[in-house]
mmCIF file of all heavy atoms in Angstrom:
data_model
loop_
_atom_site.group_PDB
_atom_site.id
_atom_site.type_symbol
_atom_site.label_atom_id
_atom_site.label_comp_id
_atom_site.label_asym_id
_atom_site.label_seq_id
_atom_site.Cartn_x
_atom_site.Cartn_y
_atom_site.Cartn_z
ATOM 1 N N CYS A 31 18.790 -6.234 -5.887
ATOM 2 C CA CYS A 31 18.483 -7.511 -5.265
ATOM 3 C C CYS A 31 19.573 -8.516 -5.606
ATOM 4 O O CYS A 31 19.868 -8.742 -6.786
ATOM 5 C CB CYS A 31 17.138 -8.021 -5.763
ATOM 6 S SG CYS A 31 16.739 -9.719 -5.267
ATOM 7 N N PRO A 33 20.290 -12.428 -5.301
ATOM 8 C CA PRO A 33 19.604 -13.676 -4.957
ATOM 9 C C PRO A 33 20.514 -14.610 -4.174
ATOM 10 O O PRO A 33 21.720 -14.370 -4.056
ATOM 11 C CB PRO A 33 19.271 -14.269 -6.325
ATOM 12 C CG PRO A 33 20.357 -13.755 -7.217
ATOM 13 C CD PRO A 33 20.677 -12.382 -6.708
ATOM 14 N N HIS A 37 20.711 -19.424 -7.378
ATOM 15 C CA HIS A 37 19.349 -19.153 -7.843
ATOM 16 C C HIS A 37 19.415 -18.252 -9.073
ATOM 17 O O HIS A 37 19.992 -17.173 -9.017
ATOM 18 C CB HIS A 37 18.526 -18.479 -6.745
ATOM 19 C CG HIS A 37 18.181 -19.381 -5.616
ATOM 20 N ND1 HIS A 37 17.161 -19.087 -4.712
ATOM 21 C CD2 HIS A 37 18.694 -20.572 -5.225
ATOM 22 C CE1 HIS A 37 17.085 -20.067 -3.831
ATOM 23 N NE2 HIS A 37 18.005 -20.971 -4.116
ATOM 24 N N ARG A 38 18.759 -18.683 -10.145
ATOM 25 C CA ARG A 38 18.823 -17.915 -11.379
ATOM 26 C C ARG A 38 17.544 -17.147 -11.683
ATOM 27 O O ARG A 38 17.521 -16.301 -12.555
ATOM 28 C CB ARG A 38 19.152 -18.858 -12.544
ATOM 29 C CG ARG A 38 20.557 -19.463 -12.419
ATOM 30 C CD ARG A 38 20.759 -20.615 -13.388
ATOM 31 N NE ARG A 38 20.640 -20.181 -14.776
ATOM 32 C CZ ARG A 38 20.577 -21.026 -15.800
ATOM 33 N NH1 ARG A 38 20.582 -22.320 -15.585
ATOM 34 N NH2 ARG A 38 20.499 -20.577 -17.036
ATOM 35 N N SER A 39 16.495 -17.473 -10.973
ATOM 36 C CA SER A 39 15.230 -16.778 -11.187
ATOM 37 C C SER A 39 15.045 -15.735 -10.100
ATOM 38 O O SER A 39 15.169 -16.031 -8.908
ATOM 39 C CB SER A 39 14.066 -17.777 -11.161
ATOM 40 O OG SER A 39 12.825 -17.098 -11.127
ATOM 41 N N VAL A 40 14.736 -14.524 -10.522
ATOM 42 C CA VAL A 40 14.490 -13.427 -9.571
ATOM 43 C C VAL A 40 13.177 -12.765 -9.946
ATOM 44 O O VAL A 40 12.953 -12.436 -11.110
ATOM 45 C CB VAL A 40 15.627 -12.385 -9.612
ATOM 46 C CG1 VAL A 40 15.261 -11.182 -8.743
ATOM 47 C CG2 VAL A 40 16.940 -12.999 -9.128
ATOM 48 N N SER A 41 12.332 -12.565 -8.963
ATOM 49 C CA SER A 41 11.066 -11.880 -9.214
ATOM 50 C C SER A 41 10.911 -10.722 -8.239
ATOM 51 O O SER A 41 11.532 -10.706 -7.170
ATOM 52 C CB SER A 41 9.882 -12.845 -9.085
ATOM 53 O OG SER A 41 9.845 -13.427 -7.798
ATOM 54 N N TRP A 42 10.078 -9.783 -8.615
ATOM 55 C CA TRP A 42 9.849 -8.580 -7.819
ATOM 56 C C TRP A 42 8.362 -8.432 -7.528
ATOM 57 O O TRP A 42 7.509 -8.717 -8.377
ATOM 58 C CB TRP A 42 10.330 -7.337 -8.579
ATOM 59 C CG TRP A 42 11.820 -7.214 -8.698
ATOM 60 C CD1 TRP A 42 12.607 -7.751 -9.666
ATOM 61 C CD2 TRP A 42 12.690 -6.494 -7.829
ATOM 62 N NE1 TRP A 42 13.928 -7.417 -9.452
ATOM 63 C CE2 TRP A 42 13.998 -6.641 -8.338
ATOM 64 C CE3 TRP A 42 12.498 -5.726 -6.669
ATOM 65 C CZ2 TRP A 42 15.118 -6.057 -7.729
ATOM 66 C CZ3 TRP A 42 13.604 -5.147 -6.069
ATOM 67 C CH2 TRP A 42 14.893 -5.308 -6.585
ATOM 68 N N GLU A 56 9.480 -11.025 -13.521
ATOM 69 C CA GLU A 56 10.401 -12.107 -13.210
ATOM 70 C C GLU A 56 11.486 -12.185 -14.269
ATOM 71 O O GLU A 56 11.217 -12.004 -15.460
ATOM 72 C CB GLU A 56 9.666 -13.452 -13.145
ATOM 73 C CG GLU A 56 10.542 -14.600 -12.637
ATOM 74 C CD GLU A 56 10.787 -15.699 -13.648
ATOM 75 O OE1 GLU A 56 10.337 -15.572 -14.809
ATOM 76 O OE2 GLU A 56 11.431 -16.705 -13.276
ATOM 77 N N TYR A 57 12.710 -12.419 -13.814
ATOM 78 C CA TYR A 57 13.853 -12.560 -14.700
ATOM 79 C C TYR A 57 14.504 -13.914 -14.493
ATOM 80 O O TYR A 57 14.569 -14.434 -13.375
ATOM 81 C CB TYR A 57 14.881 -11.459 -14.439
ATOM 82 C CG TYR A 57 14.439 -10.124 -14.959
ATOM 83 C CD1 TYR A 57 13.663 -9.278 -14.179
ATOM 84 C CD2 TYR A 57 14.768 -9.714 -16.245
ATOM 85 C CE1 TYR A 57 13.229 -8.055 -14.662
ATOM 86 C CE2 TYR A 57 14.344 -8.490 -16.738
ATOM 87 C CZ TYR A 57 13.574 -7.677 -15.940
ATOM 88 O OH TYR A 57 13.139 -6.466 -16.422
ATOM 89 N N PHE A 58 14.988 -14.440 -15.596
ATOM 90 C CA PHE A 58 15.727 -15.696 -15.551
ATOM 91 C C PHE A 58 16.806 -15.614 -16.613
ATOM 92 O O PHE A 58 16.516 -15.338 -17.778
ATOM 93 C CB PHE A 58 14.792 -16.882 -15.828
ATOM 94 C CG PHE A 58 15.459 -18.219 -15.720
ATOM 95 C CD1 PHE A 58 15.547 -18.880 -14.506
ATOM 96 C CD2 PHE A 58 15.999 -18.834 -16.847
ATOM 97 C CE1 PHE A 58 16.160 -20.121 -14.402
ATOM 98 C CE2 PHE A 58 16.610 -20.069 -16.759
ATOM 99 C CZ PHE A 58 16.689 -20.712 -15.533
ATOM 100 N N SER A 59 18.030 -15.832 -16.213
ATOM 101 C CA SER A 59 19.164 -15.762 -17.151
ATOM 102 C C SER A 59 19.126 -14.484 -17.975
ATOM 103 O O SER A 59 19.213 -14.506 -19.211
ATOM 104 C CB SER A 59 19.162 -16.988 -18.087
ATOM 105 O OG SER A 59 19.454 -18.146 -17.351
ATOM 106 N N GLU A 60 18.952 -13.378 -17.278
ATOM 107 C CA GLU A 60 19.017 -12.027 -17.851
ATOM 108 C C GLU A 60 17.837 -11.693 -18.763
ATOM 109 O O GLU A 60 17.849 -10.649 -19.425
ATOM 110 C CB GLU A 60 20.334 -11.826 -18.604
ATOM 111 C CG GLU A 60 21.574 -12.057 -17.748
ATOM 112 C CD GLU A 60 22.866 -11.905 -18.524
ATOM 113 O OE1 GLU A 60 23.147 -10.802 -19.001
ATOM 114 O OE2 GLU A 60 23.584 -12.924 -18.663
ATOM 115 N N THR A 61 16.820 -12.546 -18.801
ATOM 116 C CA THR A 61 15.661 -12.310 -19.661
ATOM 117 C C THR A 61 14.401 -12.147 -18.817
ATOM 118 O O THR A 61 14.166 -12.937 -17.902
ATOM 119 C CB THR A 61 15.472 -13.489 -20.632
ATOM 120 O OG1 THR A 61 16.646 -13.625 -21.431
ATOM 121 C CG2 THR A 61 14.259 -13.255 -21.529
ATOM 122 N N GLN A 62 13.608 -11.142 -19.160
ATOM 123 C CA GLN A 62 12.329 -10.994 -18.487
ATOM 124 C C GLN A 62 11.346 -11.995 -19.090
ATOM 125 O O GLN A 62 11.038 -11.947 -20.282
ATOM 126 C CB GLN A 62 11.796 -9.571 -18.658
ATOM 127 C CG GLN A 62 10.526 -9.322 -17.842
ATOM 128 C CD GLN A 62 9.933 -7.939 -18.075
ATOM 129 O OE1 GLN A 62 9.094 -7.749 -18.942
ATOM 130 N NE2 GLN A 62 10.401 -6.959 -17.310
ATOM 131 N N ARG A 63 10.811 -12.870 -18.237
ATOM 132 C CA ARG A 63 9.930 -13.917 -18.755
ATOM 133 C C ARG A 63 8.464 -13.631 -18.482
ATOM 134 O O ARG A 63 7.582 -14.186 -19.139
ATOM 135 C CB ARG A 63 10.290 -15.261 -18.125
ATOM 136 C CG ARG A 63 11.688 -15.723 -18.445
ATOM 137 C CD ARG A 63 11.870 -17.197 -18.118
ATOM 138 N NE ARG A 63 11.624 -17.505 -16.717
ATOM 139 C CZ ARG A 63 11.776 -18.703 -16.195
ATOM 140 N NH1 ARG A 63 12.141 -19.704 -16.966
ATOM 141 N NH2 ARG A 63 11.560 -18.923 -14.924
ATOM 142 N N GLY A 74 13.041 -3.409 -15.106
ATOM 143 C CA GLY A 74 14.052 -4.137 -14.370
ATOM 144 C C GLY A 74 15.076 -4.726 -15.304
ATOM 145 O O GLY A 74 14.980 -4.610 -16.529
ATOM 146 N N ARG A 75 16.070 -5.327 -14.705
ATOM 147 C CA ARG A 75 17.048 -6.056 -15.497
ATOM 148 C C ARG A 75 17.758 -7.050 -14.586
ATOM 149 O O ARG A 75 17.716 -6.934 -13.356
ATOM 150 C CB ARG A 75 18.054 -5.124 -16.146
ATOM 151 C CG ARG A 75 18.856 -4.257 -15.197
ATOM 152 C CD ARG A 75 19.853 -3.419 -15.982
ATOM 153 N NE ARG A 75 20.591 -2.480 -15.142
ATOM 154 C CZ ARG A 75 21.656 -1.812 -15.553
ATOM 155 N NH1 ARG A 75 22.108 -1.957 -16.785
ATOM 156 N NH2 ARG A 75 22.267 -0.968 -14.738
ATOM 157 N N GLN A 76 18.401 -8.002 -15.221
ATOM 158 C CA GLN A 76 19.163 -8.993 -14.471
ATOM 159 C C GLN A 76 20.535 -9.118 -15.101
ATOM 160 O O GLN A 76 20.666 -9.122 -16.335
ATOM 161 C CB GLN A 76 18.453 -10.355 -14.465
ATOM 162 C CG GLN A 76 19.120 -11.376 -13.553
ATOM 163 C CD GLN A 76 18.414 -12.720 -13.573
ATOM 164 O OE1 GLN A 76 17.876 -13.126 -14.605
ATOM 165 N NE2 GLN A 76 18.419 -13.407 -12.448
ATOM 166 N N PHE A 77 21.520 -9.239 -14.264
ATOM 167 C CA PHE A 77 22.889 -9.330 -14.734
ATOM 168 C C PHE A 77 23.334 -10.785 -14.833
ATOM 169 O O PHE A 77 22.638 -11.691 -14.369
ATOM 170 C CB PHE A 77 23.800 -8.542 -13.788
ATOM 171 C CG PHE A 77 23.421 -7.089 -13.669
ATOM 172 C CD1 PHE A 77 22.582 -6.656 -12.650
ATOM 173 C CD2 PHE A 77 23.869 -6.166 -14.603
ATOM 174 C CE1 PHE A 77 22.210 -5.326 -12.549
ATOM 175 C CE2 PHE A 77 23.506 -4.827 -14.509
ATOM 176 C CZ PHE A 77 22.675 -4.410 -13.480
ATOM 177 N N SER A 78 24.507 -10.984 -15.403
ATOM 178 C CA SER A 78 24.982 -12.350 -15.633
ATOM 179 C C SER A 78 25.227 -13.106 -14.325
ATOM 180 O O SER A 78 25.231 -14.331 -14.301
ATOM 181 C CB SER A 78 26.260 -12.334 -16.477
ATOM 182 O OG SER A 78 27.258 -11.569 -15.837
ATOM 183 N N ASN A 79 25.420 -12.391 -13.240
ATOM 184 C CA ASN A 79 25.616 -13.069 -11.945
ATOM 185 C C ASN A 79 24.285 -13.259 -11.204
ATOM 186 O O ASN A 79 24.275 -13.575 -10.025
ATOM 187 C CB ASN A 79 26.585 -12.275 -11.066
ATOM 188 C CG ASN A 79 26.076 -10.875 -10.746
ATOM 189 O OD1 ASN A 79 25.011 -10.472 -11.204
ATOM 190 N ND2 ASN A 79 26.841 -10.135 -9.958
ATOM 191 N N SER A 80 23.184 -13.055 -11.917
ATOM 192 C CA SER A 80 21.804 -13.208 -11.422
ATOM 193 C C SER A 80 21.322 -12.057 -10.545
ATOM 194 O O SER A 80 20.136 -12.026 -10.207
ATOM 195 C CB SER A 80 21.603 -14.535 -10.679
ATOM 196 O OG SER A 80 21.723 -15.610 -11.564
ATOM 197 N N ARG A 81 22.185 -11.154 -10.192
ATOM 198 C CA ARG A 81 21.716 -9.972 -9.442
ATOM 199 C C ARG A 81 20.728 -9.199 -10.316
ATOM 200 O O ARG A 81 20.836 -9.178 -11.541
ATOM 201 C CB ARG A 81 22.890 -9.087 -9.056
ATOM 202 C CG ARG A 81 22.541 -7.973 -8.077
ATOM 203 C CD ARG A 81 23.781 -7.182 -7.682
ATOM 204 N NE ARG A 81 24.295 -6.362 -8.780
ATOM 205 C CZ ARG A 81 23.853 -5.149 -9.086
ATOM 206 N NH1 ARG A 81 22.874 -4.605 -8.374
ATOM 207 N NH2 ARG A 81 24.395 -4.475 -10.082
ATOM 208 N N SER A 82 19.774 -8.586 -9.651
ATOM 209 C CA SER A 82 18.738 -7.884 -10.402
ATOM 210 C C SER A 82 18.549 -6.474 -9.856
ATOM 211 O O SER A 82 18.800 -6.208 -8.680
ATOM 212 C CB SER A 82 17.422 -8.661 -10.314
ATOM 213 O OG SER A 82 16.372 -7.977 -10.981
ATOM 214 N N GLU A 83 18.152 -5.604 -10.725
ATOM 215 C CA GLU A 83 17.793 -4.244 -10.339
ATOM 216 C C GLU A 83 16.395 -3.935 -10.840
ATOM 217 O O GLU A 83 15.967 -4.423 -11.892
ATOM 218 C CB GLU A 83 18.778 -3.228 -10.938
ATOM 219 C CG GLU A 83 20.132 -3.220 -10.282
ATOM 220 C CD GLU A 83 21.052 -2.155 -10.879
ATOM 221 O OE1 GLU A 83 20.707 -1.595 -11.945
ATOM 222 O OE2 GLU A 83 22.109 -1.914 -10.272
ATOM 223 N N MET A 84 15.712 -3.106 -10.079
ATOM 224 C CA MET A 84 14.413 -2.624 -10.485
ATOM 225 C C MET A 84 14.466 -1.112 -10.505
ATOM 226 O O MET A 84 15.031 -0.494 -9.603
ATOM 227 C CB MET A 84 13.346 -3.079 -9.493
ATOM 228 C CG MET A 84 11.940 -2.825 -9.957
ATOM 229 S SD MET A 84 10.731 -3.054 -8.653
ATOM 230 C CE MET A 84 10.663 -1.391 -8.045
ATOM 231 N N SER A 101 13.961 -15.002 -4.893
ATOM 232 C CA SER A 101 14.738 -15.810 -5.818
ATOM 233 C C SER A 101 14.311 -17.263 -5.716
ATOM 234 O O SER A 101 13.757 -17.700 -4.690
ATOM 235 C CB SER A 101 16.239 -15.662 -5.573
ATOM 236 O OG SER A 101 16.667 -16.355 -4.413
#
Side-chain angles (χ1 to χ4, degrees):
Chain A
C31 171
H37 289 198
R38 294 167 62 190
S39 170
V40 173
S41 59
W42 289 87
E56 188 244 4
Y57 286 87
F58 183 87
S59 292
E60 303 178 64
T61 301
Q62 186 184 91
R63 298 195 301 183
R75 59 178 175 168
Q76 187 181 34
F77 302 94
S78 58
N79 61 358
S80 293
R81 190 177 70 84
S82 177
E83 287 182 348
M84 190 192 92
S101 75

